[in-house]
Amino acid sequence: EPEVTQTPSHQVTQMGQEVILRCVPISNHLYFYWYRQILGQKVEFLVSFYNNEISEKSEIFDDQFSVERPDGSNFTLKIRSTKLEDSAMYFCASIGTGANYGYTFGSGTRLTVV
Amino acid sequence: QKEVEQDPGPLSVPEGAIVSLNCTYSNSAFQYFMWYRQYSRKGPELLMYTYSSGNKEDGRFTAQVDKSSKYISLFIRDSQPSDSATYLCAMSKPGANSKLTFGKGITLSVRP
């Protein structure tokens, strides 16, 4: 079964450093998302991406965050200057057309900011 | 009022029990209702989805949506230890690109 692949599985970074979280969505999917889950909290929407541009972003997704699909297969989330409160699981997800319930999530990247 | 509220847990049941998991929501624009299962340190995995009101059954799982009450449920019959996981309700508005809004999740433990 096709899957969404995320790397790395765990990233530890120092506060103020830049991190890039990587995702390979399912190949024929067109809509891409990043969600995050702070330990013990809800899964929260960060950003959606379609046709090489952001379709929607949440209040969390401020100027420190950016997304990119650099080469037609990878989908990245960059955090420019990490803060302690950015520590969370970050999930990439994708869906095909005509199925806005059928998200496939990756296994996540656990980001720890120290 | 939070957009999506889910019964707090954790929940522990004996093997074979019927489990009922519930969520309420406040946004009447939600049309798609989903249940995800999440194992520790893994991504959510789609278990069931329902469009608008009604019931949907898949094996031991039944999803119910009551839009008039803004209430959704997931029933698990003959629960198994392998059902032990965190269950998340999620919902979205119509539209191909609609984001999911999740409940907080409830951790279920099925005791052998």
Side-chain angles (χ1 to χ4, degrees):
Chain A
E1 189 171 327
E3 56 182 33
V4 174
T5 306
Q6 287 187 246
T7 54
S9 56
H10 189 194
Q11 170 112 36
V12 181
T13 189
Q14 292 210 326
M15 193 167 52
Q17 294 296 303
E18 175 183 286
V19 294
I20 298 177
L21 310 183
R22 301 179 193 281
C23 169
V24 179
I26 293 173
S27 61
N28 61 349
H29 282 184
L30 299 176
Y31 302 93
F32 313 111
Y33 305 81
W34 285 99
Y35 287 78
R36 81 170 184 192
Q37 186 176 31
I38 295 171
L39 188 63
Q41 302 296 317
K42 291 185 180 187
V43 176
E44 302 173 288
F45 168 76
L46 290 179
V47 65
S48 58
F49 191 86
Y50 170 70
N51 202 24
N52 284 320
E53 60 183 28
I54 290 174
S55 332
E56 186 179 356
K57 58 184 181 179
S58 71
E59 291 174 356
I60 304 166
F61 195 88
D62 62 21
D63 292 344
Q64 293 299 313
F65 291 88
S66 62
V67 288
E68 200 174 44
R69 189 158 159 81
D71 56 15
S73 61
N74 291 286
F75 179 49
T76 61
L77 174 69
K78 182 192 290 186
I79 309 175
R80 263 179 272 281
S81 177
T82 49
K83 308 184 195 65
L84 294 176
E85 54 265 36
D86 294 328
S87 296
M89 282 289 283
Y90 287 81
F91 295 109
C92 174
S94 68
I95 58 173
T97 57
N100 66 336
Y101 53 80
Y103 282 66
T104 301
F105 282 84
S107 286
T109 292
R110 185 139 71 105
L111 177 66
T112 303
V113 182
V114 297
Chain B
Q1 185 183 8
K2 293 179 182 173
E3 257 195 316
V4 179
E5 299 211 53
Q6 187 166 0
D7 286 350
L11 182 62
S12 179
V13 301
E15 184 174 354
I18 296 174
V19 176
S20 171
L21 308 175
N22 308 294
C23 285
T24 57
Y25 63 96
S26 59
N27 191 337
S28 57
F30 289 139
Q31 294 284 341
Y32 292 88
F33 304 93
M34 289 139 270
W35 287 93
Y36 282 83
R37 180 171 58 195
Q38 186 179 24
Y39 295 109
S40 183
R41 303 193 192 285
K42 296 292 185 185
E45 171 195 9
L46 182 65
L47 200 57
M48 299 280 287
Y49 77 90
T50 311
Y51 171 67
S52 195
S53 282
N55 293 358
K56 186 168 185 174
E57 190 173 317
D58 184 2
R60 296 184 294 110
F61 297 88
T62 300
Q64 281 186 355
V65 174
D66 180 349
K67 289 192 70 185
S68 61
S69 303
K70 297 191 178 67
Y71 190 89
I72 71 170
S73 300
L74 178 71
F75 298 96
I76 307 174
R77 288 183 299 282
D78 186 26
S79 55
Q80 302 294 309
S82 57
D83 295 328
S84 298
T86 296
Y87 290 81
L88 311 170
C89 64
M91 41 203 82
S92 70
K93 301 173 190 175
N97 203 22
S98 286
K99 66 184 182 188
L100 295 180
T101 302
F102 283 87
K104 196 172 178 181
I106 184 169
T107 298
L108 171 67
S109 174
V110 181
R111 308 185 303 271

